[in-house]
Every structure is written in C-alpha cells, then in structure tokens.
Amino acid sequence: MSGFLASVAVDVPFHSAIGQLLTYRHTQQLVPGTLVRVPLGHRQVLGVVWAEQQATAAGLDEEAVKPVSEVLDATVPLRADWLALIDFAARYYQRALGEVAMTALPSALQDQTATQWAKRVAKVLAVPKARAGRRPAQAQQGQACVSAPVGAPCRAALRKPVLTAQQQAALQALQSAGAATTLLHGVTGSGKTEVFLQLAEQVLQASDDAQILFLVPEINLTPQWQALLLERFAPWVGADGVAVLHSGLTPVQRLNEWLAVHQGRKRLVLGTRMAVLASFARLALIVVDEEHDASYKQQDGPRYHARDLAVWRGRQLGVPVVLGSATPSLESWYNSRPATAEEAGGGYRRVTMPERVGGGSLAALRIVDMRNHPRDTVLAAPLLAAMRARIEAGEQCMVLLNRRGYAPVLRCGACGWKSDCPHCSAHQVVHKAERSLRCHHCGWGTPIPRHCPKCGSTDLAPLGRGTEQLQELLQEQLGTLALRDGRLAQVLRIDADSTRHKGALEAHLAQVHRGDVDIVVGTQMIAKGHDFRRIGLVAAVQPDGALYASDFRAPERLFALLMQAAGRAGRDAAYMQQGGEQAQLWVQTHEPQHPLYAALARQDYPGFAAVQLQERRQAGLPPYTYQAMLRADARTQQAAQAFLRQVADAARAAQWPAARWVTVYAPVPLPVQRVANAERAQLLLESTSRKALQAYLAALHPLLQQARANAPKGLLRWLVDVDPLTI
Ligand code: ADP
Ligand code: ZN
Ligand code: ZN
C-alpha cells in the first residue's frame, strides 16, 4: 500500500467499544502532535496524530483504512510534553485519550478547515514579535524611566512595592527551590500575590520566551488578576500580552487565546482549571493561587484536578510550581511535611508567611452560643448591635450563609405538605423575588402556589432561611439606619442568583469597593479572594451543618471558608493604624466548644491541620489513602446498585494481584439519591497504594463496559471519579 499510517486520537467516549486510537493513512508521514481532520462515521472530525505506525501493521486490513482528509499544519504540531500530559490525564482519570485531548483543545478548533486555520494563524502571527521581548518597551511619554541599565526593568513603569522581610525570605526560598513544587502557606493579607509577581518578573527577565501560567479557582477572580498582571508586566509582554483562558470566553476568543499561547506569542497565561491543559511553547513557571479550592476539580467529563495536573506538569517539564494558600488542602499540607524521626518528608517544599503586610492583626473571633437564644433566631442581638456600630463607624459588614434562595422549602401548616421536587429527592427552594419554587439539582421551577396542592389550605409558609430572606431581614433591621453622610444603610446580596446576568457580579463587586454598600450578604462566593478594603466585620450565620456532614472533608472546607472570610476583614492597614477597631469574625453556633472553632479563634491552621490529619490517619482516609468513586445512575436505586455490585463481584472473581491492596466498599445511594429522575448509587474504592488503585481501575474498565453492554435496556450511566472531592 502507498503512504503512511498514523494513530489518531479523536473524540470517542471511553464507554464506547472503539479503542483509544484510530488508524488513518496519509501520503506523507505525519509527526505526532499534528492536527488533522479525519472521517469518522459520516462526519469529519478533528484529530491529533498520536503516533506514527509501521507502514504495514500486522492484521490490518489496509483497504479499510481511511485517508486523512486534511492536515492543519499552519501551526507547529502539539509538542511531546502536551501529548504526554494528555496521555497521563486520560490514564489517571480513566477517560479516553481523544476525549481528554478534545477537552483540552478549544472547541472552535473542531470546525476549522485547513484553509481557515492557516488564515487565523497568519493573523495571530502578524502581531509583531517585538512585544514579546525581554526588554521593557520604552517608557510611555511622561513616565519617568531614567538611567535604567540596559535590559533591566524600568522601575518607574513597574511601580512595585518594596518587599517586606518576610516576602523577601519567601521569594528567596522559592528561587532556591529550583524545579520543585513549593507550598506557599501565607495568612490572608501576608502578600503572597506580590511574591508571585516578583517571582514571575524574574522568570520573564531571565529569558525572551519563557511563559508563566497563573491558575485561579474562579472566573470572577480573573479580571482583578488580569489588571494586576498587565499593570505590572505590560512593559515586558505588551498591552495584550496576558492570555486569559476560562469557560466564560466565546469559542473564537478561546481559540485565539489558545493559539497565541501555543505559538508562544503570549507569555503570561491566566486561567481557571482548564488552562492547565493548554499547549505552551515554553512553560517556565506555574502558580496555583488558592490551591485548596475545590473549583480546581472538574466535576463532569474527565474529572481532573487542575492543581494535581499542574504539579505533574511541573515535574515533567522540570519547572517550578508554586501552590499558594492561607488554608492549604490537607493533601498539599501533608505533601509538604518536613521529615521527622518517624516519617520521611513530603515531596513538596513548604514556605510560610505568618504575618500580615504592615503587621495588621487578623480578625478576632466572636462566638455566639445559639443555645442561649430563641430557637428561630436568625441574627442574634449582640451580632446585630455589633454590625450597627461598625456601619455607623463607616465600615462595611459581610454576612455569610451558604444557602441561596429565600427558604429551603415551602411547607403547609395544615397537612405538612412540603415543596418536594417531583424529579429529585430534594426540596424545591422558595425564591420569593421571582415568585417561584425551584429545584437546585435539576432546575425544575413552578410558581409559588397560593393553596396547598395536597389539602387546599392557604397556610403555606417558608421553612428555614436562605440568603434572600437574610437580605430582607437585614434590610428591616439595619436598612433604616441613617448614616453620618445622611444616606440610609445599604444591603446588597451576592450569590449565584443575583449574579446570573453577565457583568452583574463585576457591577456588584464594584459597588462594594466604591463603598456604596454597607452590608454584603452572600454565599461563599463573596468570601473568596476579593480585596475589600472597608470590611470590619464578617459573620457566619449558620455554619454548623459542616460539623455534622457525612463528607469527611466538610470540616476542612468550613475552616478554609471561615479563615478566608476572616481574611476579607481588616485589610486596610492605614485605617487600622489610625486606631480603627480590630476586625471581627462572628460565628453563630450550637457547638461553641468545637475544636474547629477553637483553632479558628487562634487563627491556627497548622493546629487545625494536625488534628484533622491525625483523624484521617486513624480512619485511613486521604491523604493517607487514595480513593476512587464508581458511580452508576439508573431508573431505580436497585438497578444502579446491582450494576455496581455485579462489577465488583466480577472484579473479585478475577483475582487481580492489585486487588489485595484495594478495599471495595458496598454500593450506597448518593446523599441526594435521585436527580432528574435518575437514581444514583456509588461504590467507594480505597487503597494505601496509588499504583495498586490505578492498576485496579484500569483492569476494571473492560468489566464496566461489559456489564453496561449486558445490562437490561433503559437508563444506565456509569463513571469513575478518581480522587473524588465529595463523598
Ligand atoms: P494575600 O494574597 O497573601 O492574601 P495580598 O497579596 O492580597 O495578600 O496582600 C495584601 C495587601 O498588601 C495587598 O493590598 C497588597 O497590595 C499589599 N502589599 C503586599 N505586599 C506589599 C508590600 N511589600 N508593601 C506594601 N504593601 C504590600
Ligand atoms: Zn396542605
Ligand atoms: Zn429537581
């Protein structure tokens, strides 16, 4: 036969029987990483050449091999390190190679013909390369940049602060860490960001083409980071030298940004978890901010963890990775443990910044013992009084409640009917402003009924509280307060409902920053990362739930959230120095003696982590063990569990060597058992050996496919979640 064969990754789900790679032929040899369009069924799809094949592979029906339709060779091929990353992620997270590759590539690439692609690439490459140079561009007119040595940064253009001694020490430690992964544990306000920036500056300065990846957990944190990076580094990288990669971009925007990064035209890359899968020309540093944040874990499709892939990528490329947090994940904390007499140290380095910049003190904890207040108290009197005093002093308050909507359920006082979602084992939440009941699991919405659907009574009342009701209550209690400047106190709610429209969050945040708002009410959304200046008091209204949750990570998440929230307060060092009152974190609890709150009062992350790790070690939980969750959705709970049981039984019968090291638990329903009419069951796999668990999962895959094929007709979905974050 004439020509060459190539193994090509296309988007075929792991569940299908088709193998990982498909074979196509072409007149010339195609190097791995080449983008191609190939026929698949009746469609033309994007593919990535994964490997060259021998011209005559044994057992191959050459006539049946289809030719490559087009080669998208206007760009350099995807590099070997990217192919290796995708290969690793696919194996580790138990997904198809092509599926992970297509997740990583911008979706708009899928419909580019070779001609269109060539045009687009030419356009991106037309941007003058000079902008990507090492030397800062000439200082803008009017900007003083005198007698700077050639090649050295222009101080006037940079306007960077002088590092504190603590920052200086951290920066030096990071520089000397070489290609290692370092956990930068710094309390909120310790100036981690500035350390990241100055480390980045050195990388930019050291070479003409080095690229830096900054990962942030949420899209809404990207604008402030982008502004910061541009303000600081535009002299090096140009006014549009920061590539942004997140799911909020249009497909074409994402394509252009991806391309600029792939071609090395943009040296700074800022993004959410998906950015870790980008293709870089020369990646030289990865910074993962708020590394503990659960948003780094993808929760559908390939369930990868961006922080973990960042660490893998850094190791593979031999470039440094810096993980920053005030409340590291217990995994990273453990992985950065110093060596002791009994135990070897973790593989990461650890650098600590315990002090705030300017010495500002952290928020003081005020516990409100809710056992001393009437049962239906939402905001205890002392808390309201403290908030009033703060607002009158010109400060802002932040009130946290991790439940959006007006009330979690509507209830009939006459017959006890509750607003259950017909499709889920969950209540429909009362949304008063939009006059609807809405299920937060499947989205099912109905108007709020006037009469009970069951008995006809009009005695319907919301039960429990959400952010919407809290806002109403605060409006009643404090919204009538006349402030010094004559205005009335303003209450603003920030949660997923109030920020659904594009630009709404930015507008809300700007209001807070401007000081137009005195009280911000919201979900955890407001506790993350925002540098609010005038917050003097933060209150968690009802945080106890996490103490009783079945998920062993719930306390870790609560502690992180409250520390983050406390970190929002008292950030204005100048105000504090002028004798401003110390910032406070208020917690309303029925468990005032709980060790979590005691550690919180001391702002003692290491103490909290030590206790948690000891518990995890005793219970045999991560980071001392590795977990994978096998999930099945079916029409009935019985069918879902039977599927899992059948697979587990088949695995047991196979007696794989790895099975000795893997504990297989019994199938159980998920905490929310039914969603959108699908019954959900899960089975936990656990091992002290990551390798054994991986081997077990790889062997399990064909059994899952087989069981799926043999299952009776009807709904049956399965998935594997490796290193699941919720149990
Ligand atoms: P973190 O990220 O650790 O919570 P930030 O980086 O937000 O802390 O820093 C807290 C505040 O201190 C920011 O307003 C920042 O601009 C300021 N800051 C950081 N480093 C310095 C410094 N060396 N000198 C003066 N101000 C600084
Ligand atoms: Zn009723
Ligand atoms: Zn529902």
Side-chain angles (χ1 to χ4, degrees):
M1 127 177 200
S2 67
F4 299 84
L5 297 179
S7 300
V8 177
V10 295
D11 198 358
V12 178
F14 204 25
H15 303 69
S16 77
I18 308 177
Q20 289 279 68
L21 295 168
L22 300 181
T23 300
Y24 292 91
R25 60 189 159 85
H26 191 58
T27 48
Q28 277 144 25
Q29 191 136 43
L30 294 170
V31 296
T34 306
L35 292 166
V36 290
R37 291 180 67 75
V38 291
L40 181 70
H42 300 295
R43 295 178 304 147
Q44 290 289 322
V45 299
L46 179 70
V48 180
V49 174
W50 219 262
E52 297 161 11
Q53 279 190 9
Q54 295 303 319
T56 50
L60 193 78
D61 176 3
E62 293 186 6
E63 288 305 299
V65 175
K66 291 182 186 160
V68 167
S69 313
E70 278 194 305
V71 180
L72 279 66
D73 55 4
T75 37
V76 291
L78 291 152
R79 296 165 189 84
D81 68 275
W82 185 85
L83 298 177
L85 170 76
I86 301 304
D87 192 74
F88 168 76
R91 273 177 220 283
Y92 188 80
Y93 293 106
Q94 300 289 314
R95 307 296 292 202
L97 203 56
E99 183 190 17
V100 179
M102 294 310 147
T103 303
L105 296 173
S107 59
L109 192 53
Q110 313 227 358
D111 0 275
Q112 296 279 307
T113 64
T115 322
Q116 289 170 327
W117 186 234
K119 267 195 205 147
R120 183 170 298 278
V121 173
K123 219 160 110 190
V124 170
L125 295 190
V127 177
K129 173 95 175 154
R131 285 190 183 177
R134 160 187 1 193
R135 218 158 289 160
Q138 290 298 310
Q140 305 278 305
Q141 265 199 337
Q143 246 177 336
C145 182
V146 279
S147 68
V150 177
C154 173
R155 289 248 157 209
L158 285 177
R159 266 176 296 150
K160 63 180 178 186
V162 178
L163 293 183
T164 64
Q166 180 181 261
Q167 286 171 319
Q168 191 62 48
L171 182 63
Q172 267 161 15
L174 288 172
Q175 285 168 303
S176 68
T181 295
T182 309
L183 174 67
L184 179 57
H185 171 229
V187 297
T188 49
S190 59
K192 294 185 286 297
T193 311
E194 191 54 43
V195 174
F196 295 151
L197 293 177
Q198 301 212 10
L199 186 66
E201 181 185 323
Q202 287 168 355
V203 171
L204 289 177
Q205 213 169 357
S207 109
D208 278 341
D209 56 0
Q211 293 173 301
I212 303 173
L213 170 62
F214 292 90
L215 290 176
V216 296
E218 307 250 348
I219 293 182
N220 63 51
L221 293 171
T222 53
Q224 78 186 44
W225 267 95
Q226 191 180 9
L228 195 63
L229 291 176
L230 277 177
E231 179 189 305
R232 189 64 67 86
F233 296 124
W236 269 285
V237 300
D240 56 0
V242 179
V244 179
L245 286 171
H246 57 65
S247 58
L249 304 181
T250 65
V252 169
Q253 281 173 332
R254 188 178 160 204
L255 183 65
N256 287 340
E257 293 290 73
W258 180 89
L259 180 56
V261 179
H262 173 67
Q263 294 288 20
R265 285 308 169 114
K266 295 203 180 181
R267 300 182 64 190
L268 295 174
V269 184
L270 168 64
T272 52
R273 59 178 179 256
M274 65 152 65
V276 81
L277 297 174
S279 159
F280 291 84
R282 203 171 91 68
L283 183 57
L285 170 68
I286 308 177
V287 173
V288 184
D289 196 25
E290 310 290 358
E291 69 85 30
H292 63 278
D293 201 297
S295 304
Y296 282 122
K297 181 94 198 289
Q298 169 84 11
Q299 291 296 8
D300 51 38
R303 297 187 162 218
Y304 64 90
H305 199 303
R307 176 204 59 220
D308 294 348
L309 286 183
V311 170
W312 190 89
R313 226 179 164 172
R315 217 171 268 164
Q316 174 217 25
L317 288 169
V319 306
V321 178
V322 185
L323 312 176
S325 178
T327 50
S329 63
L330 288 175
E331 281 80 2
S332 296
W333 189 247
Y334 181 67
N335 287 336
S336 64
R337 71 193 177 276
T340 63
E342 301 88 53
E343 198 182 16
Y348 305 171
R349 292 177 171 228
R350 186 191 290 172
V351 174
T352 305
M353 303 211 299
E355 310 283 339
R356 279 191 150 183
V357 174
S361 60
L362 292 160
L365 183 68
R366 290 279 179 282
I367 291 274
V368 184
D369 186 345
M370 294 306 275
R371 295 171 304 184
N372 302 335
H373 294 268
R375 251 189 74 98
D376 56 354
T377 305
V378 184
L379 293 160
L383 172 57
L384 275 171
M387 288 176 67
R388 187 171 297 125
R390 293 279 172 170
I391 298 166
E392 282 172 341
E395 296 179 21
Q396 295 169 308
C397 297
M398 181 187 272
V399 186
L400 283 169
L401 177 61
N402 240 349
R403 202 187 262 162
R404 62 196 169 85
Y406 189 80
V409 60
L410 187 70
R411 182 178 174 275
C412 170
C415 77
W417 170 87
K418 281 182 179 168
S419 57
D420 291 334
C421 174
H423 309 294
C424 306
S425 49
H427 300 307
Q428 277 186 294
V429 174
V430 183
H431 286 265
K432 191 172 171 183
E434 61 177 57
R435 295 193 193 128
S436 74
L437 299 175
R438 193 146 44 78
C439 174
H440 287 184
H441 295 276
C442 72
W444 178 259
T446 42
I448 296 178
R450 287 167 198 277
H451 307 277
C452 169
K454 200 169 154 197
C455 75
S457 161
T458 52
D459 183 14
L460 291 174
L463 203 66
R465 268 129 213 130
T467 45
E468 205 185 331
Q469 189 174 165
L470 197 57
Q471 177 190 22
E472 188 181 273
L473 198 93
L474 284 163
Q475 190 63 49
E476 279 165 28
Q477 299 278 338
L478 300 174
T480 49
L481 211 62
L483 304 179
R484 271 186 292 195
D485 55 7
R487 307 178 291 120
L488 290 182
Q490 296 297 310
V491 185
L492 178 73
R493 172 165 57 91
I494 302 184
D495 58 24
D497 295 316
S498 77
T499 56
R500 219 171 317 143
H501 301 291
K502 199 167 165 59
L505 178 64
E506 290 75 9
H508 282 349
L509 293 175
Q511 275 182 286
V512 181
H513 281 292
R514 273 201 309 271
D516 297 351
V517 170
D518 305 286
I519 302 170
V520 197
V521 181
T523 53
Q524 54 176 344
M525 192 184 253
I526 52 174
K528 285 185 187 178
H530 301 289
D531 194 7
F532 298 131
R533 299 266 99 184
R534 290 174 51 222
I535 304 257
L537 183 153
V538 177
V541 174
Q542 214 175 319
D544 281 348
L547 304 177
Y548 318 121
S550 60
D551 186 338
F552 68 88
R553 281 194 180 83
E556 178 184 352
R557 279 196 292 265
L558 176 62
F559 190 81
L561 174 71
L562 293 178
M563 288 281 280
Q564 282 283 318
R568 294 311 109 214
R571 289 174 82 88
D572 191 338
Y575 174 74
M576 301 301 290
Q577 273 157 12
Q578 285 158 21
E581 207 189 326
Q582 190 188 9
Q584 291 173 341
L585 169 66
W586 286 64
V587 168
Q588 300 194 140
T589 174
H590 288 85
E591 302 267 348
Q593 310 296 335
H594 198 285
L596 187 150
Y597 296 133
L600 188 66
R602 301 190 308 269
Q603 301 270 352
D604 180 13
Y605 171 81
F608 170 77
V611 172
Q612 284 286 312
L613 283 177
Q614 198 182 352
E615 284 180 25
R616 300 257 190 110
R617 187 195 290 269
Q618 278 163 3
L621 291 168
Y624 300 96
T625 54
Y626 302 94
Q627 297 182 327
M629 194 64 92
L630 212 59
R631 242 186 67 188
D633 295 359
R635 279 283 168 249
T636 66
Q637 181 62 217
Q638 199 186 6
Q641 291 196 17
F643 174 82
L644 295 175
R645 202 168 292 115
Q646 185 191 345
V647 172
D649 288 347
R652 197 169 301 117
Q655 297 191 317
W656 302 317
R660 269 186 63 202
W661 306 99
V662 177
T663 307
V664 181
Y665 289 85
V668 291
L670 258 73
V672 179
Q673 174 171 336
R674 192 165 53 99
V675 168
N677 298 318
E679 281 284 339
R680 314 188 302 167
Q682 61 185 11
L683 181 156
L684 180 66
L685 301 167
E686 207 170 67
S687 177
T688 51
S689 158
R690 182 174 256 162
K691 235 174 142 171
L693 184 60
Q694 281 284 314
Y696 187 94
L697 289 172
L700 198 63
H701 179 241
L703 299 186
L704 282 158
Q705 279 182 321
Q706 207 169 43
R708 173 69 189 86
N710 296 343
K713 274 218 163 359
L715 173 75
L716 186 68
R717 287 188 293 256
W718 61 268
L719 65 87
V720 180
D721 189 353
V722 181
D723 303 331
L725 274 193
T726 46
I727 290 285

